[in-house]
Amino acid sequence: MLVPSTGLLFWMSLTFFAVLFILWKFGFPVITNMVKERKAFIDDSLRKAHEANERLANIQKEGESILQEAREKQAQILKEAADTRDAIVEKAQAKAREEGARLLSDAKAEIEQEKKAVIADIRKQVAELSVEIAEKVLRQNLQGDKAQMDLINRMLDDVNK
């Protein structure tokens, strides 16, 4: 069996404790500080990532609300445009009805005027014909009913021609 000597064991133990003391005094604090700093950096990064996720979620919510608001405004604008279009169409139809009624009224008035003018002209012609017939009848010296009827028939034939 291999057993180290007491002197070797002493010096190895002394060296071990010296290295352990040096590491304990100077090495471990640096290592633990580095681990703490790394942990703090990771924790800070996780906190910032969590905040960024929250901001992103808020931005997405805001984006969705803005998009919803834009959709509502679009629907409102389309409704207003449809209402305006309907009002314009209704106004145009009312104006067309009014114009049609006015044109019909004007046409009726014109027809009535022409009718009155034609009736007046016919009356004038009938009066003139009556005067001419009466004049011709009076000029001739008629004897008997048969001669008068023949004269009236000839005059009527002349008028018809």
Side-chain angles (χ1 to χ4, degrees):
M1 213 187 254
L2 194 55
V3 178
S5 69
T6 320
L8 181 61
L9 191 56
F10 171 76
W11 286 111
M12 281 178 55
S13 297
L14 184 66
T15 305
F16 174 75
F17 285 117
V19 169
L20 182 63
F21 177 75
I22 291 172
L23 284 176
W24 194 267
K25 186 75 171 163
F26 301 108
F28 289 143
V30 172
I31 292 171
T32 54
N33 282 340
M34 285 175 41
V35 169
K36 285 179 185 178
E37 288 176 8
R38 180 72 178 155
K39 183 183 179 298
F41 177 75
I42 290 171
D43 289 343
D44 189 46
S45 295
L46 287 174
R47 184 183 51 79
K48 286 180 181 178
H50 183 66
E51 288 175 3
N53 282 339
E54 287 178 359
R55 286 186 199 152
L56 181 60
N58 289 338
I59 289 172
Q60 285 176 342
K61 286 179 185 177
E62 287 177 19
E64 289 173 4
S65 67
I66 290 171
L67 188 59
Q68 182 63 28
E69 185 178 328
R71 286 183 186 135
E72 290 172 1
K73 282 186 181 181
Q74 178 188 16
Q76 180 183 4
I77 289 170
L78 289 175
K79 184 182 179 296
E80 288 174 1
D83 292 345
T84 302
R85 180 199 65 215
D86 292 344
I88 289 171
V89 166
E90 176 105 13
K91 187 175 180 181
Q93 287 175 344
K95 189 173 182 179
R97 282 191 292 272
E98 288 174 8
E99 184 68 18
R102 186 188 63 80
L103 289 174
L104 186 61
S105 174
D106 290 350
K108 284 181 180 179
E110 187 176 334
I111 288 170
E112 189 64 32
Q113 286 177 347
E114 288 180 14
K115 179 180 167 185
K116 287 179 181 178
V118 167
I119 289 173
D121 188 43
I122 289 173
R123 283 184 180 175
K124 181 180 173 186
Q125 288 177 4
V126 167
E128 288 175 2
L129 285 174
S130 297
V131 169
E132 285 178 22
I133 290 172
E135 186 179 307
K136 287 181 181 181
V137 167
L138 289 176
R139 281 189 189 168
Q140 290 187 356
N141 200 356
L142 297 176
Q143 302 180 8
D145 289 337
K146 186 171 181 345
Q148 287 178 359
M149 286 308 285
D150 288 341
L151 178 65
I152 290 173
N153 284 335
R154 275 185 295 156
M155 288 184 183
L156 286 177
D157 288 340
D158 289 343
V159 169
N160 286 337
K161 290 180 183 176

